Amino acid sequence: MLYFTLVPLARVSLFGPSMHMEAAERVNSAARIGAEKMDEEDETVEEIRQMSGYGGDVIVVGGFPAAESESESESDLAAAEIMVIWAIQGPTSFAPNALVAQSSLELRLDACGHSLSILQSPCSLNTPGVTGSVMWDSGVVLGKFLEHSVDSKVLSLEGKKIVELGSGCGLVGCIAALLGGNVVLTDLPDRLRLLKKNIQTNLHRGNTRGSATVQELVWGDDPDPDLIEPFPDYVLGSDVIYSEEAVHHLVKTLLQLCGDQTTIFLSGELRNDAVLEYFLETALKDFAIGRVEQTQWHPDYHSRRVVLYVLEKKSKRCLIDDSSLNQSY
């Protein structure tokens, strides 16, 4: 259950009118092309796989060994994924968040038998480029997805080393710690104060199954040795795909953090198809990527604004090659 404490706040627009129109045209074009492509075929065949760090099925985006898509270029695979996502979910960058209220000073959420109180700083949205001071749908979706997956026994975080990127307000990392993970929540230096406050508020009771610490991490810089020695079992990120300028540094950091046994869960806000396409094209050079259908999310926490991906390094020897299925919809 979600609860909000509301305070007055002037509406903040992150984009000018011309950017709104351009974004809307791109969204409508992508959805139109995707729908036309799907209409051209009587049925759409999607390849289903499993990944070693997650027991649920994923829809293949690309990068898997012996996959039907293996012969296609990264740019073609990324473009195809964008057309499918925009055609199926029909997101719009102007749609309000369905699961959070960014004008609130506090987000209250029940998770893992606890009532979490996540403090926000709505006034920070006035600062260009600052989005981590408030919650977004993608963070709630990822946190509740982790809880639901553990409850469904397709995921185990007990005793696992977990690094969260761009932790922001810290909800996802808190839930991962409550599920038994030993979590390092990371963000930029000026974002750590609010993050530490939320960790102290929600995980101080002594009945947390795992642990949580906060650490500075600037994407693209060499991570501290304790983050990669040993490599984490899981890397988490919500709303970390937000600009083309940040994609290169994000992918570099993912490569630095990931060993052959690391699985990545990324949930993204469907604001801009060009940015997501650029991320997928870049990441597919080094990672196998699968999309988690909303049927596998927590049944009470869905959002058309959000997409959820699982990534593993292509060099990972334990990708499950023999579990692929062709399934018609």
Side-chain angles (χ1 to χ4, degrees):
M1 181 174 290
L2 290 166
Y3 311 87
F4 305 107
T5 304
L6 298 175
V7 295
L9 179 71
R11 183 174 181 180
V12 177
S13 176
L14 301 179
F15 307 98
S18 62
M19 294 185 68
H20 275 306
M21 294 178 63
E22 181 181 351
E25 290 173 359
R26 290 185 64 88
V27 168
N28 291 335
S29 176
R32 195 165 51 246
I33 294 171
E36 290 171 356
K37 182 177 181 180
M38 294 174 71
D39 288 342
E40 289 173 359
E41 303 175 354
D42 293 332
E43 57 183 18
T44 300
V45 177
E46 292 180 317
E47 190 174 358
I48 307 298
R49 288 285 185 109
Q50 286 188 335
M51 306 178 87
S52 62
Y54 170 61
D57 291 337
V58 299
I59 296 174
V60 170
V61 175
F64 287 81
E68 291 182 1
S69 59
E70 189 68 10
S71 61
E72 298 182 54
S73 69
E74 288 87 3
S75 61
D76 288 343
L77 292 171
E81 170 68 3
I82 293 301
M83 287 192 290
V84 169
I85 286 296
W86 255 259
I88 293 174
Q89 296 185 210
T92 168
S93 59
F94 332 123
N97 284 273
L99 304 176
V100 302
Q102 294 178 338
S103 60
S104 168
L105 292 176
E106 179 187 36
L107 167 71
R108 295 178 61 195
L109 178 71
D110 293 334
C112 310
H114 295 254
S115 180
L116 302 181
S117 174
I118 304 297
L119 301 178
Q120 302 187 119
S121 178
C123 60
S124 297
L125 280 175
N126 290 299
T127 304
V130 175
T131 60
S133 61
V134 294
M135 287 299 306
W136 298 81
D137 278 0
S138 55
V140 177
V141 165
L142 179 56
K144 296 299 288 186
F145 164 78
L146 296 176
E147 180 185 14
H148 179 65
S149 296
V150 169
D151 289 345
S152 302
K153 303 188 184 307
V154 296
L155 179 68
S156 174
L157 301 183
E158 190 77 37
K160 303 297 185 182
K161 180 178 179 180
I162 301 170
V163 174
E164 185 187 8
L165 300 179
S167 297
C169 297
L171 173 67
V172 175
C174 284
I175 291 177
L178 290 171
L179 292 169
N182 299 314
V183 188
V184 183
L185 297 90
T186 69
D187 214 320
L188 296 172
D190 61 343
R191 317 289 164 80
L192 299 185
R193 182 177 180 182
L194 178 62
L195 180 56
K196 289 178 179 178
K197 177 66 175 176
N198 280 325
I199 297 301
Q200 294 166 359
T201 300
N202 292 283
L203 302 180
H204 72 286
R205 303 177 182 89
N207 56 354
T208 304
R209 290 163 56 188
S211 63
T213 58
V214 174
Q215 188 169 320
E216 174 187 332
L217 178 62
V218 179
W219 300 348
D221 290 355
D222 291 336
D224 287 346
D226 61 307
L227 289 180
I228 56 175
E229 298 175 2
F231 286 112
D233 299 291
Y234 292 96
V235 173
L236 309 175
S238 63
D239 192 29
V240 293
I241 306 167
Y242 52 82
S243 75
E244 291 192 10
E245 293 76 14
V247 163
H248 173 73
H249 297 301
L250 172 61
V251 173
K252 179 181 178 180
T253 295
L254 290 174
L255 285 168
Q256 291 172 319
L257 290 176
C258 291
D260 285 342
Q261 305 302 317
T262 305
T263 298
I264 305 167
F265 290 106
L266 296 181
S267 62
E269 298 277 332
L270 296 176
R271 298 189 188 93
N272 187 312
D273 59 310
V275 173
L276 180 57
E277 183 176 343
Y278 181 59
F279 168 78
L280 292 172
E281 180 179 349
T282 304
L284 280 167
K285 294 178 173 65
D286 298 289
F287 293 96
I289 304 179
R291 173 169 30 93
V292 183
E293 285 194 294
Q294 294 205 19
T295 54
Q296 297 189 67
W297 299 7
H298 191 292
D300 297 329
Y301 294 89
H302 287 199
S303 173
R304 292 176 64 187
R305 293 171 52 99
V306 177
V307 66
L308 178 57
Y309 292 112
V310 188
L311 294 78
E312 291 176 348
K313 268 189 174 179
K314 285 185 178 180
S315 60
K316 189 168 184 176
R317 293 185 297 273
C318 49
L319 282 170
I320 303 176
D321 297 338
D322 59 355
S323 63
S324 64
L325 302 171
N326 285 337
Q327 184 168 336
S328 299
Y329 295 93

